[in-house]
Amino acid sequence: MKLLTVQDAIAKVNAWFHIPVTHDVIHSGIYRNSEPNQTPYYRVELEWNKQGEPALDDDGLVNKQTIRAELDAVSGHMIAFYRHEFRKNGKDQKAEMDNALYAVVFPYVLQWIGKLGLPISESELELKRKQVIDGDLYELDYGRQYAGIPVRNFGTFNIKLDQAFGLVHLFCRWDACIFDDRVIPIAPDAFKLQFDSKQLMLYYMRMLSSEHPYYMWKEDTFEAVSGRLVSADRGELTEMIDLQPTKPQRRQPVKFVRKPIFSADQYEALRVSDHVTEVDPCAPHPFFPVLSDEEVIKAKDIAVSYLQQHMSEETCQYAFIRKEGHEVARSMQGNRLQVEIQRLYNGIPVIGGAVRLFIDRDSWELNHVMDGLEFWKMAAKSNVLAYKEPRNANEEAWSKLKGKVELNLHYRLEEGVPANETKRAILVYTLDCDWICNAVTGEVTKLALPSTP
């Protein structure tokens, strides 16, 4: 895969925008995406600042004279653009843009799409939000659609213009894909007939400030034409953890050397050397090198040893639970790996009750521990968490929830496609149900999303 050079990227930006002659390039480089299978696979980062100005202002923020641009290092398309001079010091005053003003602004949006050569068809734009900021900036958010059906997988376009319709800010994620117009989805009512009580899962939900377990729908995703399962919303129990292990490696002393989970120097591992002009997007990712079976076993042993020494007095059970696309032990940036342990009470998992351990792959020292349940303990101002056992059977909950599921029809870009091939947009149904059933009282409740201020 051939890469755009930094010099070519600078030339493109200078052709698109007026970069003042008083500004110099203060940062440039080509970086791999922090996610291994996410586009753009590589991007060019560029920053200009006014000559003589510091990189940061008195508040430690990016200097307002800074102009930043990001380009797809393969296609040359603009990904992001930001002029910091328009950054407000206080909270923005936002108002809904009326339709008459939108009719004036929208042609300029199309002009910028054309000028920058963005791979966006006007017919695919789905307006999500239109706002006027402080009376002098126009901000528009778009999602992606095709033939009136939403397209998922991060299809988003955000643009902000000044009163002269100059570009102030832009963010674009619009993957190339192929749509099939000939497919006909299974009728929703017929599609729902395949489900039974096995589609429910049982969890404790601390977010409801309750000690009761709840039944809820598994929000799986299926191909809308064939009915094939595409993505599963469920966990696979791989091991119940014994806190009285007989193996010495699961009773080993754990050395704790605290280090931050994220740091700026880790980001530099994504940078491509200046002389490199061609890359393999399938090459091992700096943030996610492959773990050997021996490393996974060793990481689990350390995790069990930590539990045995520091958390064995809790009344819960612990387990290793694998989820789709989410292994129990996985590599991460900073040459570390992460191990996730799930809490269970009465054999039922606790949402938000996972324990994550971050381990150095060279020294095998423990660098950090994140305990999700500590948040709920602090919120409740109590260390006592009583979990009641379910009284209602799965079938009883199913009789109350089976008629409340919705089928969300949308396109989803297929995964696992080689970087040099165009993705196919698959028509899918995702199950969506905001209703849950209390496994103790049998009461059915609709989850309410928090209001946006």
Side-chain angles (χ1 to χ4, degrees):
M1 182 176 285
K2 190 171 179 57
L3 295 177
L4 191 72
T5 66
V6 169
Q7 291 73 25
D8 287 341
I10 292 174
K12 278 179 169 287
V13 174
N14 279 314
W16 291 330
F17 309 104
H18 170 65
I19 305 295
V21 295
T22 56
H23 283 55
D24 291 332
V25 176
I26 61 169
H27 169 71
S28 64
I30 299 177
Y31 293 81
R32 189 167 182 177
N33 198 312
S34 59
E35 294 294 331
N37 300 313
Q38 193 177 99
T39 57
Y41 299 108
Y42 292 84
R43 68 184 182 282
V44 185
E45 293 187 4
L46 302 170
E47 283 188 355
W48 290 261
N49 195 11
K50 190 174 182 180
Q51 297 163 4
E53 290 282 345
L56 303 178
D57 62 16
D58 294 338
D59 296 322
L61 301 175
V62 175
N63 192 295
K64 283 195 172 185
Q65 301 296 332
T66 301
I67 300 172
R68 180 178 175 87
E70 296 182 16
L71 287 76
D72 186 324
V74 177
S75 68
H77 292 145
M78 177 68 71
I79 303 167
F81 181 78
Y82 195 76
R83 291 169 59 185
H84 285 269
E85 65 192 272
F86 287 88
R87 187 180 70 233
K88 306 294 183 180
N89 291 325
K91 188 174 182 180
D92 297 340
Q93 297 297 316
K94 298 183 178 181
E96 176 72 11
M97 182 186 297
D98 62 45
N99 292 334
L101 179 56
Y102 178 70
V104 174
V105 175
F106 183 60
Y108 291 95
V109 173
L110 297 180
Q111 284 185 25
W112 278 110
I113 289 174
K115 181 177 181 179
L116 300 176
L118 299 178
I120 297 176
S121 168
E122 178 182 351
S123 63
E124 292 183 9
L125 288 171
E126 181 185 17
L127 181 64
K128 296 291 189 179
R129 182 176 58 177
K130 56 186 192 320
Q131 292 183 318
V132 180
I133 303 174
D134 292 336
D136 58 3
L137 293 179
Y138 309 130
E139 183 175 23
L140 303 165
D141 276 306
Y142 296 92
R144 190 175 186 180
Q145 65 179 7
Y146 182 79
I149 300 174
V151 182
R152 303 299 184 220
N153 299 68
F154 306 101
T156 184
F157 175 56
N158 172 272
I159 186 169
K160 191 182 296 183
L161 306 175
D162 61 22
Q163 285 192 312
F165 307 108
L167 187 64
V168 173
H169 173 72
L170 178 142
F171 177 78
C172 179
R173 171 79 192 278
W174 214 269
D175 291 1
C177 64
I178 299 171
F179 294 94
D180 191 345
D181 294 315
R182 298 166 297 176
V183 296
I184 300 175
I186 300 170
D189 289 343
F191 200 91
K192 293 178 183 179
L193 294 177
Q194 66 183 295
F195 302 117
D196 56 27
S197 61
K198 295 185 182 67
Q199 197 62 36
L200 298 184
M201 51 189 175
L202 185 61
Y203 282 102
Y204 289 104
M205 303 177 68
R206 291 300 310 172
M207 64 188 73
L208 297 182
S209 299
S210 169
E211 292 75 38
H212 293 178
Y214 287 86
Y215 289 104
M216 64 193 74
W217 270 80
K218 298 172 184 174
E219 297 187 347
D220 296 333
T221 298
F222 300 83
E223 273 196 8
V225 178
S226 68
R228 178 180 67 88
L229 180 67
V230 174
S231 178
D233 176 26
R234 63 197 72 187
E236 175 191 351
L237 177 65
T238 60
E239 180 186 350
M240 289 296 298
I241 296 174
D242 181 4
L243 291 184
Q244 299 299 323
T246 56
K247 297 179 180 179
Q249 59 267 37
R250 290 205 161 186
R251 303 180 69 92
Q252 62 181 290
V254 178
K255 188 176 182 180
F256 202 132
V257 179
R258 186 173 295 277
K259 293 181 181 179
I261 299 176
F262 307 107
S263 62
D265 60 333
Q266 296 171 3
Y267 185 68
E268 285 303 302
L270 300 174
R271 187 178 182 122
V272 178
S273 299
D274 293 340
H275 67 279
V276 174
T277 60
E278 199 160 340
V279 293
D280 176 9
C282 299
H285 195 283
F287 279 9
F288 304 99
V290 177
L291 294 179
S292 67
D293 293 341
E294 292 76 15
E295 286 180 305
V296 171
I297 292 171
K298 190 169 184 177
K300 288 182 177 180
D301 289 343
I302 291 174
V304 174
S305 297
Y306 177 83
L307 291 179
Q308 196 268 336
Q309 294 165 33
H310 298 279
M311 303 179 70
S312 61
E313 294 184 1
E314 289 197 27
T315 57
C316 66
Q317 302 116 351
Y318 296 102
F320 291 127
I321 296 179
R322 178 189 177 278
K323 297 180 181 178
E324 185 175 294
H326 196 86
E327 296 293 337
V328 171
R330 54 196 182 277
S331 54
M332 59 178 291
Q333 67 270 28
N335 194 34
R336 284 180 289 189
L337 54 82
Q338 178 185 163
V339 183
E340 182 169 311
I341 304 157
Q342 180 63 55
R343 276 189 179 88
L344 301 94
Y345 287 88
N346 304 312
I348 302 169
V350 182
I351 291 180
V355 181
R356 294 183 178 89
L357 281 69
F358 300 85
I359 302 170
D360 187 283
R361 289 181 70 184
D362 288 329
S363 65
W364 293 96
E365 297 167 340
L366 184 61
N367 290 162
H368 198 85
V369 177
M370 292 178 61
D371 187 345
L373 208 56
E374 286 300 316
F375 169 80
W376 302 112
K377 289 180 180 179
M378 289 187 291
K381 298 180 181 179
S382 171
N383 287 327
V384 179
L385 298 172
Y387 291 91
K388 297 182 179 179
E389 295 188 31
R391 296 177 182 171
N392 296 303
N394 180 286
E395 289 74 15
E396 182 178 348
W398 174 250
S399 67
K400 298 177 180 180
L401 294 177
K402 63 181 180 181
K404 296 185 178 297
V405 71
E406 300 291 335
L407 296 181
N408 289 336
L409 182 67
H410 59 92
Y411 282 102
R412 172 191 176 112
L413 304 191
E414 62 181 336
E415 299 177 354
V417 178
N420 59 348
E421 295 183 11
T422 303
K423 296 178 181 178
R424 187 169 61 95
I426 305 170
L427 196 60
V428 300
Y429 280 126
T430 295
L431 308 187
D432 182 17
C433 185
D434 294 332
W435 292 86
I436 57 177
C437 180
N438 191 311
V440 176
T441 66
E443 180 183 5
V444 174
T445 305
K446 185 174 184 180
L447 293 175
L449 294 177
S451 59
T452 302

